[in-house]
Amino acid sequence: MRLLALAAAVLLARAPAPAREVCGALNVTVSPGPVVDYLEGDNATLLCHVSQKRRKDSLLAVRWFFARPDAQEALMVKMTKLRAVQYYGNFSRSAYRQRLRLLEERRGALYTLSVLTLRPADQGHYVCKVQEISKHRNKWTAWSNGSSETEMRVISLKASEDSSFGKKKETWAFFEDLYVYAMLVCCVGILSVLLFTLTIIWQSVFNKRKSRARQYLVKCPQNSSGETVTSVTSLAPLQPKKSKRRKEKADVPPAVPAKVPIAATFHKPKLLKPQRKVTLVSY
């Protein structure tokens, strides 16, 4: 065993510098993750962050892999060291190519994968693998590698509606009693306001009618005893008196009668003198 360890140490010491640094790993992180949920029909965006490069002048080759729970990883899309985008396998078809976008947001630091109009078949694991490459002795040499993954779950519209309905039902069951009590309190308050308003209106109308009622004391002249008779006017609202417009008559002199009427003279009946009774005496 000691001999094998010594031999390995000698080989590593004699190996060139690039060969010794291939074992290094890039710091690769995929967000959001580790699990992200999207609704069917939404647009998903996955970010691949890269850091800790070995060389400043090196280039990055970014690959995105897709794997379902019951299948192996399949290469979807790749951005070469020259920033050219290539599609592979079934993802090279026009139906997939129109829904996949791989962009470099910050050179050598941030890459985005967009999946448009999600379908239930897009559910699975998405793996971002990054390789650092640079030229050494006129050859492209890989200096370091790194990978990270996230799980995307696509919720169908029917399932989302069912889940949302279940949540709403639970929430409603929790606040049902409180809602009913609040409605009752509001109804009672509205009725109280209406009754108060009606009471105020009725009192104002009653006071107006009461103020219009008047009492008159009238002395009856025909009563020989001289007692005072009190008459009370009705409580009915007094109607405004209609002002009679007096027509102004023109000053016309009175007509002179053609013949002065003669008063009829009444003759007093003549009183007859009482006659004396003469008694004849016979001799």
Side-chain angles (χ1 to χ4, degrees):
M1 295 295 293
R2 292 180 179 179
L3 293 174
L4 292 175
L6 290 173
V10 171
L11 290 175
L12 289 174
R14 292 182 178 180
R20 291 198 302 267
E21 295 181 357
V22 171
C23 299
L26 287 171
N27 186 9
V28 179
T29 306
V30 175
S31 63
V35 180
V36 59
D37 295 333
Y38 288 100
L39 290 177
E40 182 180 358
D42 289 350
N43 298 330
T45 301
L46 303 179
L47 305 177
C48 184
H49 304 266
V50 182
S51 61
Q52 295 181 358
K53 291 174 59 176
R54 294 288 177 176
R55 291 177 174 269
K56 294 182 180 180
D57 57 347
S58 61
L59 303 176
L60 298 179
V62 181
R63 298 177 178 86
W64 279 94
F65 292 82
F66 174 70
R68 293 190 177 92
D70 56 348
Q72 295 181 353
E73 290 184 357
L75 179 59
M76 299 172 61
V77 62
K78 172 186 176 181
M79 179 175 286
T80 63
K81 54 184 177 292
L82 301 177
R83 290 184 290 179
V85 179
Q86 299 175 354
Y87 297 87
Y88 295 87
N90 294 330
F91 301 97
S92 61
R93 298 177 182 177
S94 60
Y96 281 98
R97 293 183 63 174
Q98 293 177 357
R99 297 195 304 116
L100 293 177
R101 299 284 187 276
L102 179 57
L103 301 174
E104 184 180 22
E105 297 294 336
R106 290 199 302 268
R107 187 171 183 179
L110 180 61
Y111 299 86
T112 61
L113 175 67
S114 300
V115 184
L116 309 178
T117 316
L118 287 174
R119 302 172 183 174
D122 297 329
Q123 180 171 298
H125 292 266
Y126 289 79
V127 185
C128 178
K129 295 184 178 182
V130 183
Q131 189 176 31
E132 184 180 2
I133 301 173
S134 66
K135 268 192 174 184
H136 180 71
R137 295 179 181 179
N138 296 328
K139 291 182 180 180
W140 289 102
T141 305
W143 292 89
S144 58
N145 297 307
S147 65
S148 181
E149 68 177 70
T150 186
E151 181 182 0
M152 182 190 297
R153 294 185 298 192
V154 180
I155 303 173
S156 62
L157 295 177
K158 186 177 180 180
S160 63
E161 289 176 359
D162 295 340
S163 61
S164 61
F165 177 76
K167 291 180 180 179
K168 288 181 180 178
K169 190 174 181 181
E170 293 177 359
T171 306
W172 174 254
F174 182 74
F175 292 102
E176 186 175 6
D177 296 336
L178 182 61
Y179 178 78
V180 172
Y181 293 150
M183 290 297 295
L184 289 176
V185 171
C186 291
C187 292
V188 171
I190 292 172
L191 290 175
S192 302
V193 171
L194 290 176
L195 290 175
F196 179 76
T197 305
L198 291 175
T199 304
I200 295 299
I201 293 173
W202 183 81
Q203 287 183 353
S204 63
V205 172
F206 180 76
N207 292 333
K208 286 182 180 179
R209 289 187 177 184
K210 191 175 179 180
S211 63
R212 289 179 182 179
R214 297 177 182 177
Q215 294 182 353
Y216 296 96
L217 298 178
V218 180
K219 290 186 178 180
C220 183
Q222 295 180 358
N223 194 352
S224 60
S225 61
E227 294 179 356
T228 303
V229 180
T230 304
S231 64
V232 182
T233 59
S234 62
L235 295 178
L238 298 177
Q239 297 181 354
K241 295 182 179 180
K242 297 181 180 179
S243 59
K244 295 181 180 180
R245 296 181 180 178
R246 297 181 179 179
K247 297 182 179 179
E248 297 180 357
K249 296 182 180 180
D251 295 337
V252 179
V256 179
K259 190 175 182 180
V260 178
I262 299 173
T265 58
F266 298 94
H267 297 281
K268 295 183 179 180
K270 293 181 179 182
L271 299 177
L272 296 177
K273 292 181 180 181
Q275 296 180 359
R276 294 179 181 176
K277 291 182 180 182
V278 177
T279 57
L280 296 176
V281 180
S282 60
Y283 294 102

